[in-house]
Amino acid sequence: MSKNKSRESVKVVVRCRPLNRKEEPNGPAGGIVQMDLRLGQVILRNPRAPPSEPQKTFTFDAVYDANSKQRDLYDESVRPLIDSVLAGFNGTIFAYGQTGTGKTYTMQGVWLDPEKRGVIPNAFDHIFTHISRSQSDKQYLVRASYLEIYREEIRDLLDPNHGSARGLELRESPETGVYVQDLTSCVCKSLKEIEEVMNVGNQARAVGATDMNEHSSRSHALFLITVECSQPGPDGRKHIRVGRLNLVDLAGSERQTKTGVQGDRLKEAAKINLSLSALGNVISALADGRSGHVPYRDSKLTRLLQDSLGGNAKTVMVATLGPASLHYDETLTTLRYANRAKNIQNQPRVNEDPKDALLREFQKEIARLRAQLNHRRWRSKQKKDQLEGEGWERDGDEETEGEEEEVEKEAEEYMKMEEQRLEKEKEAIREDQSMLAEEKQRLLGEKEKMMGDLRKQQEAAEQLTAKYKAMESKLLVGGKNIIDHTNEQQKMLEIKRQEIAEQTRGEREMQQQMLVQDEETLELKETFTSLQQEVEAKTKKLKKLYTKLQCIKAEIKDVNDEHVRSRQELEQTQNELTRELKLKYLIIENFIPPEEKNKIMNRLTFDPEEDQWKLKSLVPAESESLQMKKRPVSAVGYKRPISQHARAAIATGHHSRYRAENIMFLELDGTLPSTSSVDRSSDSEMNQSRSLDDSPTKDKGVRKSRAL
Ligand code: ADP
Ligand code: MG
């Protein structure tokens, strides 16, 4: 948990799902993917290649075959990451793979079956169990957000109006890095609450989609959890650590076919997987290490995951595969992608006392409310004591909890006593025969007012208490707010399971290291007793190296083929876009007057934040528009200066030339000019001009066209 930067590579694990019923009858039994769990290797066989061709082998941090349990994946590969988040690191898990290979199964799983619950529900459980078991001097604040990226638009899944609202924007601040502006964030006080948040988001996701399968294969879902923890440090002050966890279910990684698609649909198709191809480019650039520029800004997804890839975060990538021979190409692509991601280096560090910690603000607000409340109660107690004739003296600011409760009780008693007293006084006034009716009324009114004041005071105190309690309940205190229902035996079992997971991981790492060392040191160890033996050993080695060479040659050919394919695709897209552009040029050159085109061109500016061209508004901003608002005096009610002669001609309405004056706004304009301020001032002038003008119908005509 050192605060200093330390480098750490992205952990990559691969999971292969079982063959499904449709795939079983076709292809070889068991599929084309083999796994060596002990070594963390995936062996892929090309169903179209001759048996002599060597199989492709990839090594990862861990591999999970068709029989793997959700729990195993969690304990071995995810649990350490969540522990880091709870200690104040940023963490990201993303599931990458072709549609239907088990990304959602891995991330969410089957919620109702404890055996099949995925990474997300297990992480929820982990976080809240950790809080319930931590020491009572720790305070926690847990928040959750849920968003989806679809066609390069960010949608807030926790906002009830997200369907109608425009996509959210990304912003960047030097302190927190890239964040989503106006994203809903829910404070979660328990496991149940955070599950509810997830549910709401999942439903919102399904509502917008006509076909959920298709939708989920084209959109990225990000569930974000922020855990803030405050704990007194050795210096006696409370220190806050903030861990942010991104749980990402990516869109299907399969190639989206763009062939035969035109116009708007082409643009749409190009946008759907923009984020995913940008992610690929970012990973390549980072894995390469040589290229200085990493194209984070190319897509929303890569900007949001900027810290997770090559920055301040610990990252786990789960690549999912299907075992069917039909999908050999996609499976190979996924494995290559995952293999590249292994080389990304991150620099995770603990986020200590960041300026924007919400927990700090909450603590301050709670302290403020508490002080206010205490002040009120002390005042009431003081009055009560005076009423009872007791000498009252406040001894210092320190008060224990028991004392506080007593004060609260006394304050309540005081309120009751006051009420009774006022009631009695009122009664006495009513019964008093010696008073005049008027006097009585006045006194009664006075007492009534006092009662009202008292009640208002009481209400204010109640409101303050409610606010204080609500605020306080949001902060989770270690070992207090959440009750841990697991018994000792279960706890022991959990710990043992974690130990086993830890051991398996260690063993695998060792095996992998041994394998590498074996190859390197083979030569050094060997001493030969006879020439014959030496020849044998060297031939064996030669064979080994030869197969390796063949493997690499095949790899080079594969990669080349892939490049050619993607280049062809890009060229095709480019051709289609060029054709589209030519059409637009044709229309512009032939149907839009050059001066209008120039005017529009001058008004256009590119907004890199939103990745869009924007028209500058015709009406200048408030500060510049002062002179615009004023109309030349010579032309009250008209757009331009107008001669006396023309005005007379309009008034009599004979000459058609003057009638057309000032009727239409002839300039081309893509946007509706916001003329509200202009209109307001012109309205009064319009009324003036009406008195001059004896033809009200024409006047109306002018006004209407202006409003258009
Ligand atoms: P994706 O989200 O990648 O498109 P899904 O998670 O929806 O894929 O999985 C597709 C199907 O395969 C689902 O019916 C799921 O239950 C099943 N499945 C995926 N992975 C596994 C697994 N490891 N074990 C059993 N079934 C799985
Ligand atoms: Mg899915």
Side-chain angles (χ1 to χ4, degrees), residues 99-131:
T99 300
T101 50
K103 291 182 299 296
T104 308
Y105 181 84
T106 301
M107 293 308 285
Q108 301 209 22
V110 185
W111 280 74
L112 296 176
D113 185 346
E115 287 286 307
K116 292 186 183 163
R117 279 153 70 97
V119 166
I120 295 178
N122 279 326
F124 290 171
D125 210 29
H126 185 166
I127 291 170
F128 284 100
T129 306
H130 174 92
I131 294 175

mmCIF file of all heavy atoms in Angstrom, residues 99-131:
data_model
loop_
_atom_site.group_PDB
_atom_site.id
_atom_site.type_symbol
_atom_site.label_atom_id
_atom_site.label_comp_id
_atom_site.label_asym_id
_atom_site.label_seq_id
_atom_site.Cartn_x
_atom_site.Cartn_y
_atom_site.Cartn_z
ATOM 1 N N THR A 99 -19.841 -11.767 -29.117
ATOM 2 C CA THR A 99 -21.186 -11.921 -28.558
ATOM 3 C C THR A 99 -21.498 -13.403 -28.342
ATOM 4 O O THR A 99 -21.207 -14.229 -29.200
ATOM 5 C CB THR A 99 -22.220 -11.318 -29.519
ATOM 6 O OG1 THR A 99 -21.920 -9.942 -29.682
ATOM 7 C CG2 THR A 99 -23.629 -11.454 -28.985
ATOM 8 N N GLY A 100 -22.069 -13.695 -27.173
ATOM 9 C CA GLY A 100 -22.477 -15.065 -26.894
ATOM 10 C C GLY A 100 -21.385 -15.934 -26.312
ATOM 11 O O GLY A 100 -21.535 -17.146 -26.201
ATOM 12 N N THR A 101 -20.262 -15.334 -25.901
ATOM 13 C CA THR A 101 -19.187 -16.155 -25.343
ATOM 14 C C THR A 101 -19.156 -16.094 -23.816
ATOM 15 O O THR A 101 -18.330 -16.757 -23.190
ATOM 16 C CB THR A 101 -17.809 -15.711 -25.871
ATOM 17 O OG1 THR A 101 -17.696 -14.299 -25.701
ATOM 18 C CG2 THR A 101 -17.642 -16.059 -27.332
ATOM 19 N N GLY A 102 -20.060 -15.282 -23.224
ATOM 20 C CA GLY A 102 -20.144 -15.304 -21.763
ATOM 21 C C GLY A 102 -19.615 -14.077 -21.051
ATOM 22 O O GLY A 102 -19.220 -14.161 -19.901
ATOM 23 N N LYS A 103 -19.647 -12.905 -21.712
ATOM 24 C CA LYS A 103 -19.218 -11.677 -21.025
ATOM 25 C C LYS A 103 -20.216 -11.341 -19.919
ATOM 26 O O LYS A 103 -19.830 -11.126 -18.772
ATOM 27 C CB LYS A 103 -19.143 -10.504 -22.010
ATOM 28 C CG LYS A 103 -18.040 -10.616 -23.031
ATOM 29 C CD LYS A 103 -17.992 -9.402 -23.926
ATOM 30 C CE LYS A 103 -19.255 -9.180 -24.721
ATOM 31 N NZ LYS A 103 -19.568 -10.230 -25.689
ATOM 32 N N THR A 104 -21.486 -11.287 -20.300
ATOM 33 C CA THR A 104 -22.505 -10.935 -19.312
ATOM 34 C C THR A 104 -22.609 -12.029 -18.255
ATOM 35 O O THR A 104 -22.799 -11.745 -17.072
ATOM 36 C CB THR A 104 -23.853 -10.700 -20.007
ATOM 37 O OG1 THR A 104 -23.648 -9.774 -21.065
ATOM 38 C CG2 THR A 104 -24.884 -10.150 -19.055
ATOM 39 N N TYR A 105 -22.437 -13.281 -18.680
ATOM 40 C CA TYR A 105 -22.471 -14.386 -17.722
ATOM 41 C C TYR A 105 -21.355 -14.214 -16.698
ATOM 42 O O TYR A 105 -21.553 -14.396 -15.500
ATOM 43 C CB TYR A 105 -22.314 -15.719 -18.465
ATOM 44 C CG TYR A 105 -22.369 -16.922 -17.566
ATOM 45 C CD1 TYR A 105 -23.588 -17.472 -17.187
ATOM 46 C CD2 TYR A 105 -21.205 -17.497 -17.076
ATOM 47 C CE1 TYR A 105 -23.647 -18.565 -16.349
ATOM 48 C CE2 TYR A 105 -21.250 -18.592 -16.232
ATOM 49 C CZ TYR A 105 -22.472 -19.125 -15.868
ATOM 50 O OH TYR A 105 -22.522 -20.199 -15.034
ATOM 51 N N THR A 106 -20.186 -13.831 -17.153
ATOM 52 C CA THR A 106 -19.069 -13.653 -16.236
ATOM 53 C C THR A 106 -19.268 -12.434 -15.333
ATOM 54 O O THR A 106 -19.019 -12.492 -14.136
ATOM 55 C CB THR A 106 -17.749 -13.506 -17.025
ATOM 56 O OG1 THR A 106 -17.568 -14.681 -17.810
ATOM 57 C CG2 THR A 106 -16.564 -13.331 -16.109
ATOM 58 N N MET A 107 -19.733 -11.333 -15.920
ATOM 59 C CA MET A 107 -19.876 -10.107 -15.122
ATOM 60 C C MET A 107 -21.077 -10.168 -14.186
ATOM 61 O O MET A 107 -20.984 -9.756 -13.040
ATOM 62 C CB MET A 107 -19.999 -8.879 -16.025
ATOM 63 C CG MET A 107 -18.754 -8.533 -16.822
ATOM 64 S SD MET A 107 -17.271 -8.405 -15.843
ATOM 65 C CE MET A 107 -17.481 -6.847 -15.023
ATOM 66 N N GLN A 108 -22.216 -10.620 -14.692
ATOM 67 C CA GLN A 108 -23.422 -10.613 -13.853
ATOM 68 C C GLN A 108 -23.846 -12.015 -13.438
ATOM 69 O O GLN A 108 -24.210 -12.230 -12.300
ATOM 70 C CB GLN A 108 -24.577 -9.952 -14.607
ATOM 71 C CG GLN A 108 -24.258 -8.535 -15.011
ATOM 72 C CD GLN A 108 -25.507 -7.683 -15.102
ATOM 73 O OE1 GLN A 108 -26.522 -7.993 -14.502
ATOM 74 N NE2 GLN A 108 -25.441 -6.629 -15.867
ATOM 75 N N GLY A 109 -23.846 -12.937 -14.379
ATOM 76 C CA GLY A 109 -24.239 -14.308 -14.084
ATOM 77 C C GLY A 109 -25.727 -14.426 -13.817
ATOM 78 O O GLY A 109 -26.513 -13.580 -14.223
ATOM 79 N N VAL A 110 -26.085 -15.470 -13.084
ATOM 80 C CA VAL A 110 -27.492 -15.676 -12.735
ATOM 81 C C VAL A 110 -27.649 -15.223 -11.290
ATOM 82 O O VAL A 110 -27.127 -15.836 -10.378
ATOM 83 C CB VAL A 110 -27.862 -17.176 -12.874
ATOM 84 C CG1 VAL A 110 -29.348 -17.375 -12.641
ATOM 85 C CG2 VAL A 110 -27.439 -17.694 -14.245
ATOM 86 N N TRP A 111 -28.367 -14.117 -11.123
ATOM 87 C CA TRP A 111 -28.438 -13.464 -9.813
ATOM 88 C C TRP A 111 -29.062 -14.358 -8.749
ATOM 89 O O TRP A 111 -28.678 -14.311 -7.591
ATOM 90 C CB TRP A 111 -29.243 -12.168 -9.919
ATOM 91 C CG TRP A 111 -28.421 -11.070 -10.476
ATOM 92 C CD1 TRP A 111 -28.049 -10.928 -11.770
ATOM 93 C CD2 TRP A 111 -27.830 -9.985 -9.775
ATOM 94 N NE1 TRP A 111 -27.271 -9.813 -11.917
ATOM 95 C CE2 TRP A 111 -27.132 -9.207 -10.699
ATOM 96 C CE3 TRP A 111 -27.839 -9.585 -8.436
ATOM 97 C CZ2 TRP A 111 -26.435 -8.070 -10.348
ATOM 98 C CZ3 TRP A 111 -27.151 -8.434 -8.094
ATOM 99 C CH2 TRP A 111 -26.449 -7.688 -9.044
ATOM 100 N N LEU A 112 -30.051 -15.145 -9.156
ATOM 101 C CA LEU A 112 -30.803 -15.877 -8.135
ATOM 102 C C LEU A 112 -30.113 -17.175 -7.716
ATOM 103 O O LEU A 112 -30.472 -17.760 -6.708
ATOM 104 C CB LEU A 112 -32.215 -16.173 -8.661
ATOM 105 C CG LEU A 112 -33.042 -14.903 -8.911
ATOM 106 C CD1 LEU A 112 -34.379 -15.239 -9.504
ATOM 107 C CD2 LEU A 112 -33.204 -14.115 -7.610
ATOM 108 N N ASP A 113 -29.144 -17.616 -8.481
ATOM 109 C CA ASP A 113 -28.440 -18.849 -8.139
ATOM 110 C C ASP A 113 -27.082 -18.506 -7.521
ATOM 111 O O ASP A 113 -26.194 -18.002 -8.201
ATOM 112 C CB ASP A 113 -28.248 -19.671 -9.433
ATOM 113 C CG ASP A 113 -27.639 -21.027 -9.140
ATOM 114 O OD1 ASP A 113 -27.135 -21.197 -8.013
ATOM 115 O OD2 ASP A 113 -27.667 -21.890 -10.028
ATOM 116 N N PRO A 114 -26.909 -18.762 -6.230
ATOM 117 C CA PRO A 114 -25.671 -18.339 -5.560
ATOM 118 C C PRO A 114 -24.412 -18.913 -6.215
ATOM 119 O O PRO A 114 -23.353 -18.287 -6.195
ATOM 120 C CB PRO A 114 -25.828 -18.879 -4.141
ATOM 121 C CG PRO A 114 -27.243 -19.270 -3.987
ATOM 122 C CD PRO A 114 -27.840 -19.451 -5.335
ATOM 123 N N GLU A 115 -24.532 -20.090 -6.817
ATOM 124 C CA GLU A 115 -23.378 -20.713 -7.469
ATOM 125 C C GLU A 115 -22.990 -19.991 -8.757
ATOM 126 O O GLU A 115 -21.856 -20.057 -9.197
ATOM 127 C CB GLU A 115 -23.710 -22.170 -7.824
ATOM 128 C CG GLU A 115 -23.758 -23.103 -6.627
ATOM 129 C CD GLU A 115 -22.362 -23.410 -6.124
ATOM 130 O OE1 GLU A 115 -21.538 -23.827 -6.948
ATOM 131 O OE2 GLU A 115 -22.100 -23.207 -4.919
ATOM 132 N N LYS A 116 -23.990 -19.357 -9.372
ATOM 133 C CA LYS A 116 -23.752 -18.777 -10.698
ATOM 134 C C LYS A 116 -23.711 -17.253 -10.685
ATOM 135 O O LYS A 116 -23.813 -16.620 -11.724
ATOM 136 C CB LYS A 116 -24.839 -19.245 -11.670
ATOM 137 C CG LYS A 116 -24.758 -20.721 -11.964
ATOM 138 C CD LYS A 116 -25.743 -21.109 -13.030
ATOM 139 C CE LYS A 116 -25.701 -22.599 -13.266
ATOM 140 N NZ LYS A 116 -26.881 -23.064 -13.985
ATOM 141 N N ARG A 117 -23.604 -16.690 -9.505
ATOM 142 C CA ARG A 117 -23.526 -15.228 -9.452
ATOM 143 C C ARG A 117 -22.165 -14.775 -9.981
ATOM 144 O O ARG A 117 -21.139 -15.352 -9.652
ATOM 145 C CB ARG A 117 -23.734 -14.740 -8.028
ATOM 146 C CG ARG A 117 -25.206 -14.692 -7.651
ATOM 147 C CD ARG A 117 -25.403 -14.847 -6.186
ATOM 148 N NE ARG A 117 -24.934 -13.678 -5.471
ATOM 149 C CZ ARG A 117 -25.719 -12.674 -5.070
ATOM 150 N NH1 ARG A 117 -26.987 -12.695 -5.331
ATOM 151 N NH2 ARG A 117 -25.226 -11.669 -4.425
ATOM 152 N N GLY A 118 -22.203 -13.723 -10.782
ATOM 153 C CA GLY A 118 -20.977 -13.304 -11.468
ATOM 154 C C GLY A 118 -20.127 -12.341 -10.664
ATOM 155 O O GLY A 118 -20.317 -12.154 -9.456
ATOM 156 N N VAL A 119 -19.208 -11.692 -11.350
ATOM 157 C CA VAL A 119 -18.244 -10.805 -10.712
ATOM 158 C C VAL A 119 -18.937 -9.659 -9.973
ATOM 159 O O VAL A 119 -18.592 -9.341 -8.833
ATOM 160 C CB VAL A 119 -17.281 -10.237 -11.783
ATOM 161 C CG1 VAL A 119 -16.502 -9.062 -11.246
ATOM 162 C CG2 VAL A 119 -16.344 -11.329 -12.278
ATOM 163 N N ILE A 120 -19.949 -9.052 -10.597
ATOM 164 C CA ILE A 120 -20.560 -7.849 -10.004
ATOM 165 C C ILE A 120 -21.269 -8.163 -8.677
ATOM 166 O O ILE A 120 -20.955 -7.540 -7.661
ATOM 167 C CB ILE A 120 -21.485 -7.145 -11.025
ATOM 168 C CG1 ILE A 120 -20.634 -6.626 -12.186
ATOM 169 C CG2 ILE A 120 -22.267 -6.020 -10.382
ATOM 170 C CD1 ILE A 120 -21.418 -5.954 -13.287
ATOM 171 N N PRO A 121 -22.197 -9.123 -8.638
ATOM 172 C CA PRO A 121 -22.823 -9.408 -7.337
ATOM 173 C C PRO A 121 -21.821 -9.876 -6.283
ATOM 174 O O PRO A 121 -21.947 -9.512 -5.108
ATOM 175 C CB PRO A 121 -23.841 -10.503 -7.637
ATOM 176 C CG PRO A 121 -23.644 -10.918 -9.030
ATOM 177 C CD PRO A 121 -22.823 -9.897 -9.725
ATOM 178 N N ASN A 122 -20.816 -10.620 -6.689
ATOM 179 C CA ASN A 122 -19.807 -11.054 -5.727
ATOM 180 C C ASN A 122 -19.001 -9.872 -5.195
ATOM 181 O O ASN A 122 -18.638 -9.837 -4.016
ATOM 182 C CB ASN A 122 -18.859 -12.070 -6.369
ATOM 183 C CG ASN A 122 -19.460 -13.464 -6.380
ATOM 184 O OD1 ASN A 122 -20.188 -13.832 -5.467
ATOM 185 N ND2 ASN A 122 -19.193 -14.220 -7.419
ATOM 186 N N ALA A 123 -18.759 -8.899 -6.073
ATOM 187 C CA ALA A 123 -18.013 -7.709 -5.637
ATOM 188 C C ALA A 123 -18.847 -6.899 -4.643
ATOM 189 O O ALA A 123 -18.322 -6.395 -3.638
ATOM 190 C CB ALA A 123 -17.637 -6.853 -6.832
ATOM 191 N N PHE A 124 -20.148 -6.778 -4.908
ATOM 192 C CA PHE A 124 -21.040 -6.067 -3.963
ATOM 193 C C PHE A 124 -20.929 -6.708 -2.587
ATOM 194 O O PHE A 124 -20.745 -6.041 -1.567
ATOM 195 C CB PHE A 124 -22.503 -6.179 -4.410
ATOM 196 C CG PHE A 124 -22.841 -5.406 -5.654
ATOM 197 C CD1 PHE A 124 -24.082 -5.579 -6.269
ATOM 198 C CD2 PHE A 124 -21.954 -4.505 -6.214
ATOM 199 C CE1 PHE A 124 -24.413 -4.885 -7.412
ATOM 200 C CE2 PHE A 124 -22.281 -3.803 -7.351
ATOM 201 C CZ PHE A 124 -23.516 -3.993 -7.955
ATOM 202 N N ASP A 125 -21.074 -8.020 -2.598
ATOM 203 C CA ASP A 125 -21.036 -8.791 -1.368
ATOM 204 C C ASP A 125 -19.714 -8.557 -0.634
ATOM 205 O O ASP A 125 -19.687 -8.279 0.560
ATOM 206 C CB ASP A 125 -21.156 -10.269 -1.762
ATOM 207 C CG ASP A 125 -21.846 -11.061 -0.682
ATOM 208 O OD1 ASP A 125 -22.660 -10.467 0.037
ATOM 209 O OD2 ASP A 125 -21.556 -12.255 -0.556
ATOM 210 N N HIS A 126 -18.657 -8.632 -1.391
ATOM 211 C CA HIS A 126 -17.304 -8.462 -0.866
ATOM 212 C C HIS A 126 -17.154 -7.097 -0.180
ATOM 213 O O HIS A 126 -16.690 -7.001 0.953
ATOM 214 C CB HIS A 126 -16.344 -8.590 -2.051
ATOM 215 C CG HIS A 126 -14.899 -8.549 -1.671
ATOM 216 N ND1 HIS A 126 -13.919 -8.921 -2.536
ATOM 217 C CD2 HIS A 126 -14.258 -8.166 -0.546
ATOM 218 C CE1 HIS A 126 -12.750 -8.786 -1.956
ATOM 219 N NE2 HIS A 126 -12.930 -8.322 -0.753
ATOM 220 N N ILE A 127 -17.605 -6.047 -0.873
ATOM 221 C CA ILE A 127 -17.429 -4.687 -0.355
ATOM 222 C C ILE A 127 -18.181 -4.512 0.963
ATOM 223 O O ILE A 127 -17.629 -4.037 1.961
ATOM 224 C CB ILE A 127 -17.901 -3.647 -1.395
ATOM 225 C CG1 ILE A 127 -16.940 -3.637 -2.585
ATOM 226 C CG2 ILE A 127 -17.991 -2.258 -0.781
ATOM 227 C CD1 ILE A 127 -17.428 -2.839 -3.765
ATOM 228 N N PHE A 128 -19.451 -4.924 0.979
ATOM 229 C CA PHE A 128 -20.233 -4.671 2.196
ATOM 230 C C PHE A 128 -19.837 -5.602 3.341
ATOM 231 O O PHE A 128 -19.934 -5.219 4.509
ATOM 232 C CB PHE A 128 -21.731 -4.719 1.890
ATOM 233 C CG PHE A 128 -22.179 -3.476 1.185
ATOM 234 C CD1 PHE A 128 -22.369 -3.453 -0.182
ATOM 235 C CD2 PHE A 128 -22.354 -2.300 1.889
ATOM 236 C CE1 PHE A 128 -22.742 -2.290 -0.838
ATOM 237 C CE2 PHE A 128 -22.724 -1.127 1.253
ATOM 238 C CZ PHE A 128 -22.913 -1.128 -0.114
ATOM 239 N N THR A 129 -19.391 -6.806 3.009
ATOM 240 C CA THR A 129 -18.894 -7.691 4.074
ATOM 241 C C THR A 129 -17.628 -7.085 4.683
ATOM 242 O O THR A 129 -17.456 -7.073 5.903
ATOM 243 C CB THR A 129 -18.558 -9.081 3.495
ATOM 244 O OG1 THR A 129 -19.703 -9.569 2.821
ATOM 245 C CG2 THR A 129 -18.187 -10.052 4.591
ATOM 246 N N HIS A 130 -16.777 -6.549 3.822
ATOM 247 C CA HIS A 130 -15.546 -5.930 4.305
ATOM 248 C C HIS A 130 -15.867 -4.789 5.273
ATOM 249 O O HIS A 130 -15.252 -4.664 6.335
ATOM 250 C CB HIS A 130 -14.732 -5.406 3.116
ATOM 251 C CG HIS A 130 -13.520 -4.634 3.501
ATOM 252 N ND1 HIS A 130 -12.285 -5.224 3.644
ATOM 253 C CD2 HIS A 130 -13.349 -3.320 3.799
ATOM 254 C CE1 HIS A 130 -11.425 -4.304 4.015
ATOM 255 N NE2 HIS A 130 -12.042 -3.138 4.107
ATOM 256 N N ILE A 131 -16.846 -3.958 4.895
ATOM 257 C CA ILE A 131 -17.195 -2.818 5.752
ATOM 258 C C ILE A 131 -17.733 -3.324 7.091
ATOM 259 O O ILE A 131 -17.378 -2.818 8.152
ATOM 260 C CB ILE A 131 -18.235 -1.915 5.051
ATOM 261 C CG1 ILE A 131 -17.597 -1.270 3.820
ATOM 262 C CG2 ILE A 131 -18.760 -0.854 5.999
ATOM 263 C CD1 ILE A 131 -18.544 -0.460 2.989
#
